[in-house]
Amino acid sequence: MSDHKVYYNYIGGEWVPARSGKTYENRNPADTRDVIGIFPDSGAEDIAAAVAAAKEAYNAWRLVPAPKRGELLYRASQILQERKEQYANDMTREMGKVLAETRGDVQEAIDMGYFMAGEGRRLYGVTTPSELPNKFQMSVRQPLGVCGLITPWNFPMAIPSWKIFPALICGNTVVIKPAEDTPLSTYNFVQALVDAGVPKGVVNIVSGHGPTAGEPLVQHPDVKVISFTGSTEVGRHVSTLCAQQGKHVSLEMGGKNPMIIMDDADLDLVLAGAVWGAFGTTGQRCTATSRIIAHRSIVDELTSRIQAEAKTIQVGNGLLDGMQMGPSINEGQLNVVEKYVKIGREEGAELVLGGERLTDGDLGHGFFHQPTIFGNVKRNMRIAQEEIFGPVVSIIPVDSLEEAIDVANDVPYGLSSSIYTRNVNNAFIAMRDLYTGIVYVNAPTIGAEIHLPFGGTKGTGNGKREGGTQVLDTYSEWKSLYVDYSGGLQRAQIDNAE
Ligand code: NAD
C-alpha cells in the first residue's frame, strides 16, 4: 500500500486494526488527491470487542467520584486547547469547512469539557420532605453502563464531545463510531482523552461504515443507550432497532430552518445573518438557514442585496487565506445539491444566483458548488420542504407575520428558526409560536451555545436534548432512595405500600 498514515481503533486501551484487516481511505473533499489517512473499516467483531472492554471498565469507572471524573475532562479540555490549531487544520483537511469554522468546532469541544467537568461537582439530585416522621428521601442520578455513540461528519469534534463528556461525567463508559468521512477529528478528540489519562476501556473508538459498524453497535445487547446524530432517515431506523430491545435512544436529526424577515427589520443586520446562516459550513449545518421567509414589501430589495453579497463569497480550499466557503463533504452530497437545483428549476422557482458546480483550476479536484439562491419560492415546493444540506437557500415571500410563522412551521422538521424585526411584539409572538427547539431574534439560525439545551421538535428529534444540564438525562437514570430511621414499620407504609 501507500505511505499514508494508518490509524487504528482504540479498544480497551490499545490501538488495534480492524480484526478483518480491512481499511478505507479518508480523502480531503477540497482536493481528493490529498489522502488524510487510512482508517479501519470495522465490523461487528470490532464493535463486540469494544463493547466488552467498555463493559469491563464500567465496573470501576462508575465508582470513581464524579469530581475526579471531572478533573479528567478538565485536563482533556486543556490538551484540546493546546492542540487547537493542529486539530482545526486536520479538520479543515478532512471535512472542508474553513479554518475559522474548524477552530470554532474544536472550541465547542473545549467548552463542553469545561462545562461537564463542573457538572462533576454538581450532578444535582432531588430531596423532598417525607409524609412520615423519621424518614428521609432523595433521588440521585445513576449511570446506565455502556453508551453507543454515532456521529455525523459536519461537526466531527464538537458533536462527539457533546456525547462523550456528559456520558463520562455521569459514570458511563463509551464506544463511539464516528462518521466515515471524518474519523480523524474524532480520533484526535479521543487522543486528547487518552493523553489526559482516561482509564483503559472507558473510551473506545471504532471507525467504519453505518450498516457494518454503526448497526452492530445499535444492536449490541450490552449497549444500554444509543445517542445518534445524523439524518432523519437513518435516525428513525436506529430508533426502530432500539425499540426492539427497549433501549434508551437520543436522536438529533435533520433540519429545514426558517429565517423570518419582517418589513421593519434592519436589512443591514439581516444581510450578514442571512449570508452566514445560509452559506456558513457550505450550508451543511443541521441549523443552516435554508428558507428565508420575507415580507413581500421588502422581498425584492432583500433578494437583490443578498444576491450581491453572496456573489462575493470566496469559495475554495478552507486552508487558504481569505476563503469563506469550502466544498460539499463528498461526491454524493454534491450530487444531492445538484439534484435539488434541478428540482427547484423544474418547480418554477427563480434561480437568482449560482446553480452550478465549480470546476475551474484546483476546484475541479474537490466537490465545490456555487452559493445558490432561489427566489419566489412557494411554501410547498420540494426545495422549501426537504433538507438539501448544501449551499442553497430559498426565499419565500409572505404578507404577514401570521403567514410567516405558518410557513415556517409547515415542514417536517423543527430544529432552529429566527426572526428579524424591530417590533418587540412580533419578536415575542414568534418566540412563542415558532415550533422549533431553538429560536433566535435578530440573529441567524446558527450560533447555539453548549450550556443551553440543543435539539429539535418533530422530525428533528425524539424529545431529548444535547447541551445544557438536560443532556445528563440521556446518560443517567433517576434512582429514588427512602431511608426510614423510625425503627419500626410505619402505619402509612402498611396502608399505602407501593
Ligand atoms: P447519516 O445519517 O448518513 O450518518 C450519521 C451517522 O450514522 C454516521 O456515523 C453513519 O455511519 C451512521 N449510520 C449510517 N447508517 C447507519 C445504520 N444503518 N446504523 C447505524 N448507524 C448508521 O448523516 P450524515 O450524512 O453523517 O450527517 C448529515 C445529517 O445529520 C443531516 O441530516 C443533518 O441535518 C444531521 N445533523 C443533525 C444535527 C442535530 O443536532 N440535529 C447535527 C448535525 C447533523
Side-chain angles (χ1 to χ4, degrees), residues 124-176:
Y124 289 140
V126 182
T127 61
T128 62
S130 169
E131 294 164 356
L132 298 177
N134 299 323
K135 190 176 170 200
F136 178 79
Q137 55 198 35
M138 62 188 163
S139 204
V140 297
R141 290 184 184 277
Q142 58 182 333
L144 287 132
V146 181
C147 304
L149 314 176
I150 297 177
T151 49
W153 42 263
N154 61 344
F155 281 84
M157 188 174 287
I159 292 178
S161 83
W162 297 354
K163 299 183 191 301
I164 292 179
F165 283 141
L168 295 185
I169 205 67
C170 288
N172 305 283
T173 56
V174 304
V175 176
I176 184 163

Side-chain angles (χ1 to χ4, degrees), residues 211-472:
T212 44
E215 201 153 320
L217 183 59
V218 174
Q219 290 190 306
H220 199 297
D222 286 338
V223 173
K224 300 302 176 196
V225 54
I226 290 290
S227 177
F228 169 89
T229 302
S231 61
T232 298
E233 190 191 351
V234 176
R236 292 232 162 111
H237 174 62
V238 163
S239 175
T240 305
L241 294 176
C242 287
Q244 288 164 2
Q245 293 182 27
K247 200 172 274 196
H248 295 211
V249 60
S250 166
L251 303 172
E252 290 298 341
M253 305 178 286
K256 192 69 189 171
N257 311 294
M259 174 184 281
I260 295 174
I261 318 292
M262 292 308 295
D263 47 358
D264 61 2
D266 174 345
L267 289 192
D268 293 332
L269 196 66
V270 170
L271 206 57
V275 170
W276 168 230
F279 303 116
T281 325
T282 319
Q284 302 175 116
R285 280 180 184 239
C286 47
T287 53
T289 304
S290 61
R291 297 178 294 151
I292 295 175
I293 302 168
H295 199 280
R296 204 174 297 276
S297 63
I298 47 102
V299 74
D300 288 343
E301 182 190 351
L302 181 74
T303 302
S304 64
R305 288 187 68 182
I306 294 179
Q307 182 216 36
E309 184 74 16
K311 230 182 195 166
T312 69
I313 293 176
Q314 294 296 307
V315 182
N317 188 326
L319 290 173
L320 302 175
D321 276 350
M323 289 304 141
Q324 294 166 302
M325 192 179 104
S328 291
I329 185 69
N330 55 36
E331 185 86 49
Q333 196 60 45
L334 181 59
N335 290 341
V336 170
V337 172
E338 291 185 301
K339 179 185 92 176
Y340 276 102
V341 169
K342 187 160 172 277
I343 288 171
R345 283 179 151 141
E346 287 167 0
E347 286 180 311
E350 182 190 332
L351 185 64
V352 172
L353 182 72
E356 300 292 335
R357 183 174 179 164
L358 290 164
T359 53
D360 281 355
D362 281 347
L363 296 184
H365 294 291
F367 307 119
F368 294 97
H369 195 276
Q370 293 173 318
T372 297
I373 302 172
F374 279 108
N376 259 323
V377 175
K378 306 271 186 300
R379 63 191 287 171
N380 55 358
M381 288 180 176
R382 286 184 65 191
I383 55 167
Q385 287 287 325
E386 298 172 19
E387 187 180 49
I388 301 173
F389 227 52
V392 182
V393 66
S394 295
I395 302 179
I396 308 171
V398 291
D399 291 302
S400 64
L401 176 63
E402 197 183 18
E403 189 189 354
I405 292 173
D406 193 40
V407 170
N409 286 338
D410 186 20
V411 290
Y413 302 103
L415 184 52
S416 182
S417 57
S418 91
I419 180 166
Y420 281 81
T421 180
R422 284 189 265 213
N423 178 324
V424 73
N425 295 350
N426 285 345
F428 271 89
I429 290 167
M431 283 193 278
R432 183 192 63 198
D433 292 344
L434 284 167
Y435 184 42
T436 53
I438 307 167
V439 179
Y440 294 88
V441 176
N442 290 329
T445 53
I446 60 185
E449 300 186 26
I450 47 89
H451 42 281
L452 277 188
F454 179 94
T457 62
K458 300 189 279 185
T460 298
N462 65 339
K464 301 284 186 180
R465 290 292 182 266
E466 306 211 277
T469 50
Q470 288 73 7
V471 69
L472 301 172

Side-chain angles (χ1 to χ4, degrees), residues 24 26 39 94 149-156 160 176-187 205-210 229 329:
Y24 74 96
N26 175 16
F39 285 83
E94 76 166 352
L149 314 176
I150 297 177
T151 49
W153 42 263
N154 61 344
F155 281 84
I176 184 163
K177 205 296 282 171
E180 38 275 69
D181 283 307
T182 53
L184 177 57
S185 297
T186 315
Y187 273 71
I205 181 168
V206 178
S207 72
H209 294 85
T229 302
I329 185 69

Side-chain angles (χ1 to χ4, degrees), residues 15-39:
W15 294 100
V16 292
R19 288 172 183 222
S20 65
K22 285 192 200 160
T23 58
Y24 74 96
E25 279 180 352
N26 175 16
R27 287 176 182 265
N28 181 340
D31 184 345
T32 55
R33 296 167 299 183
D34 177 22
V35 177
I36 310 294
I38 312 292
F39 285 83

